[in-house]
Amino acid sequence: MVNTLVRIIIADDEVDITQRIASRITKETGFEVVGIAHNGFDAYELIERLNADVLLTDIHMPFIDGIELSRMVRQQYPKLKIAFISGYDEFEYAKEAIKLDVMNYLLKPIDDDEFFSLLKQLKSKIDEENQVLFNQEQLDTMFNENRQALIENHFNSLIHAYRIQSFDLQKFRIFNIDFSHGYFVTGIISIDSIADFYEVEYLRIFLVNLLKKIFKEEINVYTFNSIVGLVFILQYESRQMENLEMSLNDLVQTKNAFSAIQIQVGVSL
């Protein structure tokens, strides 16, 4: 995971304060200032335009104050971190900060130790969230890369099960396969095992694509490599599967034009 700089927007109607804060934020702190605004309206426009991680905002500003700005940000950009700066130590502001999940509330004039402590707190929180996101993306990538193998493993375990429960079928939902509705045709295509291994594998891929091409309208086609052959399940909504025999005959004829390897097709209605 690349450790990039945290992008921060500063909003305060006092120019000298924004300049002073910006001068304290260097690459060594792990932050970079990507925008400065002197009223709430301009600050929100920057937030919309820039991909920022943090908003450091004064509470009292023209047009849109820091409280209202934070409310707007929370609705549209819930992951954006917010910190308040203010010249007023008022309990009502502190309560609003808690409601808006503001990470800190700094009083002017801003103490250097408090300011750098805030940056450290923000950086730690954002790095933690980014690590969680990175880990989840890695897991998602591994899941997608191994999705077909996971489906086949689960399906093959059902073949040897003494009794299949509804819970067993519900497990397929994690693969976006829903067997809780509709009607089904289950079939097996056995392939001559004497044939060359690589030719058989090419034929399997061809047959999978061919099944999906033939049964493409209003029918879900699921295929699984199994020890008994290439298993396919056709899921459809109407009570009768029209032209099933003709479609499977077309599959065999198309296969014959592609490969001389012998196959047998069996279905269970």
Side-chain angles (χ1 to χ4, degrees), residues 85-228:
I85 50 178
S86 176
Y88 304 89
D89 185 9
E90 296 186 16
F91 181 63
E92 289 300 318
Y93 293 155
K95 287 199 300 183
E96 285 298 323
I98 293 172
K99 289 180 185 177
L100 294 167
D101 192 26
V102 172
M103 290 202 62
N104 214 320
Y105 183 111
L106 298 181
L107 289 174
K108 299 177 184 178
I110 299 173
D111 179 79
D112 277 354
D113 289 341
E114 290 184 359
F115 180 69
F116 289 118
S117 176
L118 169 63
L119 293 184
K120 185 177 180 180
Q121 178 188 7
L122 287 165
K123 186 74 166 58
S124 177
K125 182 68 173 176
I126 290 170
D127 285 348
E128 179 184 333
E129 291 180 355
N130 287 342
Q131 184 63 55
V132 170
L133 180 62
F134 176 78
N135 291 342
Q136 185 59 53
E137 289 175 347
Q138 293 291 96
L139 288 173
D140 290 343
T141 299
M142 291 176 61
F143 176 82
N144 289 329
E145 288 176 349
N146 296 282
R147 181 177 182 273
Q148 187 62 31
L150 292 170
I151 293 173
E152 290 171 3
N153 286 341
H154 183 53
F155 187 82
N156 282 318
S157 70
L158 296 184
I159 292 177
H160 299 94
Y162 174 73
R163 179 180 299 171
I164 297 175
Q165 307 288 343
S166 60
F167 175 76
D168 296 314
L169 298 178
Q170 289 173 5
K171 289 181 181 178
F172 281 101
R173 290 184 178 178
I174 67 173
F175 308 111
N176 294 321
I177 298 175
D178 186 0
F179 288 142
S180 65
H181 62 90
Y183 303 89
F184 300 88
V185 169
T186 303
I188 298 174
I189 303 176
S190 64
I191 303 173
D192 187 355
S193 58
I194 300 177
D196 179 78
F197 172 80
Y198 293 104
E199 290 183 0
V200 169
E201 290 306 302
Y202 285 132
L203 180 56
R204 282 182 186 271
I205 296 171
F206 176 80
L207 290 171
V208 168
N209 292 327
L210 187 57
L211 279 166
K212 293 179 179 180
K213 183 177 180 180
I214 291 174
F215 299 103
K216 61 182 179 180
E217 294 183 4
E218 300 179 0
I219 296 174
N220 293 322
V221 180
Y222 306 108
T223 59
F224 313 95
N225 288 324
S226 170
I227 56 175
V228 297

Side-chain angles (χ1 to χ4, degrees), residues 9-14 18 36-49 55-73 77 80 84:
I9 291 174
I10 305 169
D12 195 305
D13 60 333
E14 299 181 65
T18 57
I36 293 176
H38 300 297
N39 62 72
F41 182 86
D42 288 345
Y44 192 74
E45 189 275 332
L46 288 176
I47 292 167
E48 289 185 311
R49 185 161 50 86
L55 169 65
L56 179 60
T57 178
D58 188 15
I59 289 179
H60 291 281
M61 290 189 299
F63 305 125
I64 302 174
D65 66 26
I67 298 291
E68 185 59 29
L69 173 63
S70 298
R71 288 197 188 103
M72 296 164 61
V73 168
Y77 307 95
L80 187 71
F84 281 162

